[in-house]
Amino acid sequence: MSAPLSLKEKTYRAYMEFFETSERKRRWNPFNDVPWDGLTRFENTDDDAICAETFCGVELYVPDYTANGFNLTRPIFGHAWFQASWGFEESRHAVTFREYLVRSGLRSPEQYQAFEDAILSKTWSLPFATRRQISCYGALQEAATYLIYRAQRENAHERGHELLERLYFFISRDEAAHMGFYRTVLKFELAEDRPGTLSDLAHVIKYFEMPGVKLVPEFERRIQVKGVALSSKYFLEHGVLATLKAIGVTRVELLRALRLDGNESSRSDAATGAATI
Amino acid sequence: MSEQEIMALLREAFAKESKGNLTVALERGRKLTDLGFDSMSALSVAAYVEDRLGVTFADAALSHVASIGDFVDMVQSALKEAS
């Protein structure tokens, strides 16, 4: 699957900027930079455990995310290498959540291992088929993740839980950088093929679902805990509409593309129905 | 613009969005989800109303619309700001 030279060049530059910034300003060490020594001074609650465990569960699918991502992005150096950096950073998040769960005593090593085994007994598959659609998905999914972790950091700050505040500061900052890269890539895609990109964006928004929904055990129970997920209203305003604004797409453009996508789906359903009669 | 006129416009917008399948009366207290509309549908209805009235709704206001009453209030607020 080839890509236009201009897209390759722009994505290469965007990746180098992302990488340089991450090296200079965003590298953090989960063992030295999170103040673990003071962990037991703070109140570590069951809700903290459910949040961290759920987030850890989603992050643990990094091998699937990166394997599938590499297959799609390989023709574009900048995007493929972003995938590699992204995978490393997300794996660091999983390790950090694991450290928190076990060091706090909220989960024994055996309980954590059982959870990890349950997670890894499933595999994550691409929710969408093309690199551009996955970029649309990534922009929204990283926005949602950033918003969730930012809310956790604010909550920790209000409670005076310095360790969780620090932990979620580092992790949310990474997610903001990921979100930024995907938004940049979408701007490039819009410049190359605006109608096609709008069509993909509409399709992804229509069928968007966070990865944890089908993969993390007892997800329905977990999202009852405040902070595990976002309300649809909050995600609409701060995720979807904020993304549109960031990439220069109006609501009217999106709605037009959504209507067209709805017509395409109906035609596809009708064709399928005819084929099975 | 009176509340009745706004309601009539919303009826038109929701009927269009539901492709003529809107069978329930629109009342202030009616939740959008009870009418079978999700947040994307609400955006679509909002776009229709914006186009007809020449107003623009703020994203923050839009994302908080959960009922017909919320929609009416948002329209009234936008009209007031535009005048």
Side-chain angles (χ1 to χ4, degrees), chain A residues 205 233 236-237 240-241 245 251 255 258-259, chain B residues 39-40 43 47 50 57 59-60 62-64:
Chain A
I205 287 173
K233 278 187 212 167
L236 175 63
E237 182 183 353
V240 176
L241 295 179
K245 196 169 272 185
R251 274 191 268 120
L255 289 168
L258 270 168
R259 256 178 243 119
Chain B
S39 44
M40 283 296 144
L43 287 189
E50 282 176 321
F57 302 127
D59 288 352
L62 262 175
S63 56
H64 282 87

Side-chain angles (χ1 to χ4, degrees), chain A:
Chain A
M1 194 195 314
S2 63
L5 185 59
S6 59
L7 185 60
K8 288 186 184 181
E9 286 171 344
K10 284 193 271 191
T11 312
Y12 175 83
R13 282 198 295 273
Y15 168 68
M16 291 311 292
E17 194 176 308
F18 167 89
F19 183 64
E20 186 175 348
T21 304
S22 64
E23 285 292 288
R24 288 188 195 283
K25 298 183 184 177
R26 233 176 7 90
R27 281 291 173 249
W28 57 280
N29 184 319
F31 302 105
N32 298 340
D33 293 328
V34 179
W36 299 112
D37 287 344
L39 180 52
T40 51
R41 284 194 288 117
F42 306 109
E43 190 197 4
N44 297 293
T45 66
D46 285 343
D47 282 1
D48 290 329
I50 290 171
C51 287
E53 190 180 66
T54 307
F55 304 150
C56 184
V58 175
E59 305 277 13
L60 282 171
Y61 285 97
V62 154
D64 296 340
Y65 302 144
T66 47
N68 282 287
F70 280 137
N71 285 339
L72 285 181
T73 60
R74 199 176 182 283
I76 301 184
F77 176 93
H79 206 150
W81 281 76
F82 166 77
Q83 191 70 67
S85 293
W86 177 94
F88 160 67
E89 293 183 11
E90 298 289 352
S91 71
R92 190 170 50 188
H93 300 170
V95 164
T96 306
F97 285 130
R98 183 188 68 189
E99 289 297 308
Y100 172 69
L101 287 165
V102 175
R103 290 187 192 223
S104 64
L106 288 167
R107 295 288 182 267
S108 67
E110 293 74 26
Q111 284 173 320
Y112 172 79
Q113 193 57 55
F115 175 75
E116 192 180 277
D117 289 344
I119 289 288
L120 297 181
S121 69
K122 293 184 183 177
T123 52
W124 177 85
S125 306
L126 284 168
F128 302 99
T130 70
R131 185 198 68 246
R132 191 169 62 190
Q133 286 175 339
I134 288 296
S135 294
C136 296
Y137 175 78
L140 294 171
Q141 187 267 323
E142 295 294 327
T145 313
Y146 162 68
L147 291 168
I148 289 170
Y149 292 156
R150 186 182 72 177
Q152 289 286 335
R153 180 190 167 196
E154 287 164 355
N155 176 262
H157 176 75
E158 278 164 29
R159 291 161 54 194
H161 198 311
E162 289 167 21
L163 185 140
L164 279 181
E165 186 185 353
R166 197 98 185 113
L167 183 156
Y168 282 113
F169 162 72
F170 287 126
I171 294 180
S172 64
R173 190 176 60 173
D174 287 348
E175 304 295 5
H178 300 163
M179 175 180 74
F181 182 85
Y182 278 118
R183 285 177 173 182
T184 299
V185 164
L186 284 188
K187 284 193 236 180
F188 297 158
E189 296 281 11
L190 285 162
E192 289 289 330
D193 174 10
R194 195 170 184 88
T197 306
L198 286 172
S199 173
D200 282 349
L201 183 59
H203 183 75
V204 168
I205 287 173
K206 193 170 163 184
Y207 294 106
F208 181 81
E209 196 175 67
M210 288 293 274
V213 172
K214 291 192 171 78
L215 296 173
V216 177
E218 300 178 292
F219 192 76
E220 282 303 314
R221 177 182 68 84
R222 291 172 183 277
I223 59 172
Q224 306 308 312
V225 171
K226 189 182 171 196
V228 167
L230 301 171
S231 72
S232 53
K233 278 187 212 167
Y234 194 87
F235 180 57
L236 175 63
E237 182 183 353
H238 297 283
V240 176
L241 295 179
T243 298
L244 295 188
K245 196 169 272 185
I247 64 177
V249 170
T250 65
R251 274 191 268 120
V252 169
E253 279 184 298
L254 175 72
L255 289 168
R256 198 176 298 134
L258 270 168
R259 256 178 243 119
L260 288 171
D261 189 69
N263 293 340
E264 285 291 328
S265 299
S266 302
R267 271 200 289 275
S268 169
D269 289 345
T272 305
T276 57
I277 291 171

